[in-house]
Amino acid sequence: MRETSRQILYMGVRVAKYQQLVEQLRTQIEARIWPPGEKLPSLRQQAEQSGLSLMTVMHAYEVLESQGWIVSKPQSGYYVAPRAAESRPRLPTREVAKTDQADTNSFVFDVLQATRNPAIMPFGSAFPDPELFPQRQLMRSLVKVSHNLKPTDALNNLPPGNEALRKILAQRYAQQGITLSPDDIVITNGAMEALNLSLQAVTEPGDWVILENPSFYGALQAIERLKLNAIAIASDVEHGMDLAELEQALQRWPVKACWLMTNRQNPLGFTLSAERKQQLVALLARYNVAMIEDDVYSDLYEGQDKPLPAKAFDREGNVLHCGSFSKNLVAGFRVGWVAAGRHAQRVQRIQLMSTLSTSAPMQLALADFLSTRSYDAHLKKLRQTLAKRKQLAQQALRRVLPEAARISDTPGGYFLWVTLPAQINTTQLYHLALQEGISIAPGQLFSSSEGFSHCFRFNTAWPWDARAEAAVETLGKLIAGLHR
């Protein structure tokens, strides 16, 4: 990007270009992105990275040197001054620590592995009952396209992905009044790849990213893997992310991206109002921060009208909207997408250098299935079944939980968020329940802090029968034992 086209705003105030770079580097030094003694990018490297001219970067470095933040070494370059960050202020929330994250990764693996055992009651699973999916129709589509596969199909379905599938997705966006070109959409290996590619497209190692607290554990893992710094903003079942706290973080730190869910958030389950989504998009646009919108549960709503994604209010091209068929149609195909807009080319390049592409037969099979009316008929039936099972699960839990316990009562999706009395540790409960053949998703999975250690997520998408009732009864007895 050329310097003449750059946004000249920092923390909402119009400033000179060199001042913007001075503030950015000073904030990064305070945050120890550039610790004392660390060599800064050369003038030429900084100019290339920032899009500023060489003279503008030189002026910024000279200002930082005069203020004692950096020092120049002849024939070597610029370095952070040894005492530059001694008065570093306390972070509003803590960085995701590597040791904590390693433990979290191991724990996530253990929880997910436990749900694969058919002898375990999978209340801790992230997926709905696969028996709810139209397996036979999907297999017919897969067999049909397999018989017609041509040698060129592998090449034709490289990023951005199958053209017919991207057109169908663009048409489904259009049904909600969202105008997107098929060229804005990149097909991915499930939603996790869409989310990770989006994050890579808008950040570099060391950048700051905002997450919800609590948030989907995949976001915490992605932050660690890409060597990013996380700022966790408190979110609640009623209002979602605290916008005042969000703006404070945007003013204080050079945030590059915000990863969040606006529809049926995992694990809390809330859906933001259209007004709230609009405010969120406008706030992030004001600070030129990309929003990575995880919207994998978008079709699992209650009622007649599908809630709009935050993408619907995006006028600046800041929202990368990620979706998937894994939660509402078929988990095994591993097909997702990102409506990346102006970031689509960069997302494609990163995908080509990592996973290369999404399976051509799976893309073709989905395009074939989605071209019929079967998908919407399936979704309608799926939503009705999930709503009924969720109601039954909630009633069963209320019968066995302590009076002080709270259950999130949010429409749509298939998760309940249960808050137990503070003295009950749900990680301990998880291990006890597993011995009884029951899995839950303890609060530890969804935050790097200890603030949700008395909470757990409960999957309601499985058949509600005598086995499920007995498992809930057992769970209640275990909780009662920990509550004494």
Side-chain angles (χ1 to χ4, degrees), residues 96-109 221 224:
V96 177
K98 288 182 172 57
T99 53
D100 292 348
Q101 194 60 31
D103 291 342
T104 299
N105 284 335
S106 177
F107 192 37
V108 168
F109 179 80
Q221 292 172 307
E224 168 65 13

Side-chain angles (χ1 to χ4, degrees), residues 125-139 296-297 300 324-334 369 374-375 378-379 381-383 385-386 389 414 459 461-462:
S125 171
F127 292 94
D129 175 11
E131 295 296 328
L132 296 174
F133 295 155
Q135 305 284 356
R136 289 184 180 179
Q137 296 97 312
L138 286 164
M139 287 304 106
V296 296
Y297 304 102
L300 304 183
S324 169
F325 297 104
S326 298
K327 304 298 193 297
N328 56 25
L329 184 60
V330 54
F333 277 25
R334 301 304 305 150
F369 179 80
S374 299
Y375 183 46
H378 156 69
L379 288 178
K381 182 179 178 182
L382 176 65
R383 287 193 291 266
T385 302
L386 290 177
R389 290 184 179 182
Y414 53 87
N459 185 325
W462 299 85

Side-chain angles (χ1 to χ4, degrees), residues 287-317:
Y287 290 90
N288 196 28
V289 171
M291 178 196 288
I292 298 169
E293 185 177 15
D294 180 355
D295 203 16
V296 296
Y297 304 102
S298 61
D299 284 316
L300 304 183
Y301 56 91
E302 282 190 22
Q304 297 300 313
D305 298 321
K306 180 178 179 178
L308 289 169
K311 181 68 178 175
F313 306 100
D314 180 25
R315 302 293 177 264
E316 309 296 330

Side-chain angles (χ1 to χ4, degrees), residues 99-334:
T99 53
D100 292 348
Q101 194 60 31
D103 291 342
T104 299
N105 284 335
S106 177
F107 192 37
V108 168
F109 179 80
D110 290 344
V111 173
L112 295 181
Q113 284 294 99
T115 61
R116 295 178 59 189
N117 185 343
I120 299 292
M121 192 68 217
F123 296 142
S125 171
F127 292 94
D129 175 11
E131 295 296 328
L132 296 174
F133 295 155
Q135 305 284 356
R136 289 184 180 179
Q137 296 97 312
L138 286 164
M139 287 304 106
R140 280 200 293 267
S141 289
L142 185 57
V143 169
K144 175 183 174 182
V145 301
S146 296
H147 285 161
N148 298 321
L149 272 178
K150 300 184 291 293
T152 55
D153 281 334
L155 293 175
N156 293 338
N157 291 281
L158 288 173
N162 179 265
E163 184 177 7
L165 181 56
R166 288 185 289 113
K167 283 182 178 178
I168 291 170
L169 289 170
Q171 290 165 2
R172 295 189 74 84
Y173 277 110
Q175 290 171 9
Q176 286 195 283
I178 304 169
T179 302
L180 290 175
S181 164
D183 293 336
D184 293 331
I185 300 170
V186 181
I187 306 300
T188 62
N189 289 296
M192 274 311 303
E193 186 183 46
L195 293 159
N196 277 274
L197 290 174
S198 298
L199 193 58
Q200 284 181 266
V202 298
T203 64
E204 298 290 342
D207 282 344
W208 291 87
V209 176
I210 285 175
L211 302 173
E212 297 160 304
N213 193 29
S215 63
F216 168 50
Y217 47 75
L220 299 171
Q221 292 172 307
I223 292 291
E224 168 65 13
R225 186 177 63 80
L226 296 175
K227 302 186 187 309
L228 300 168
N229 296 311
I231 300 174
I233 303 296
S235 299
D236 64 50
V237 175
E238 282 190 51
H239 306 105
M241 186 176 284
D242 186 321
L243 295 187
E245 187 178 339
L246 172 60
E247 183 156 25
Q248 288 175 9
L250 295 173
Q251 290 172 346
R252 185 67 188 87
W253 305 102
V255 176
K256 291 295 182 66
C258 180
W259 175 330
L260 76 170
M261 303 178 77
T262 62
N263 292 320
R264 285 155 296 285
Q265 192 259 9
N266 180 10
L268 297 181
F270 64 77
T271 293
L272 296 181
S273 67
E275 181 183 10
R276 193 77 169 175
K277 291 170 185 170
Q278 192 168 14
Q279 291 172 349
L280 186 57
V281 171
L283 176 59
L284 293 175
R286 194 155 68 243
Y287 290 90
N288 196 28
V289 171
M291 178 196 288
I292 298 169
E293 185 177 15
D294 180 355
D295 203 16
V296 296
Y297 304 102
S298 61
D299 284 316
L300 304 183
Y301 56 91
E302 282 190 22
Q304 297 300 313
D305 298 321
K306 180 178 179 178
L308 289 169
K311 181 68 178 175
F313 306 100
D314 180 25
R315 302 293 177 264
E316 309 296 330
N318 279 339
V319 179
L320 294 89
H321 182 256
C322 302
S324 169
F325 297 104
S326 298
K327 304 298 193 297
N328 56 25
L329 184 60
V330 54
F333 277 25
R334 301 304 305 150

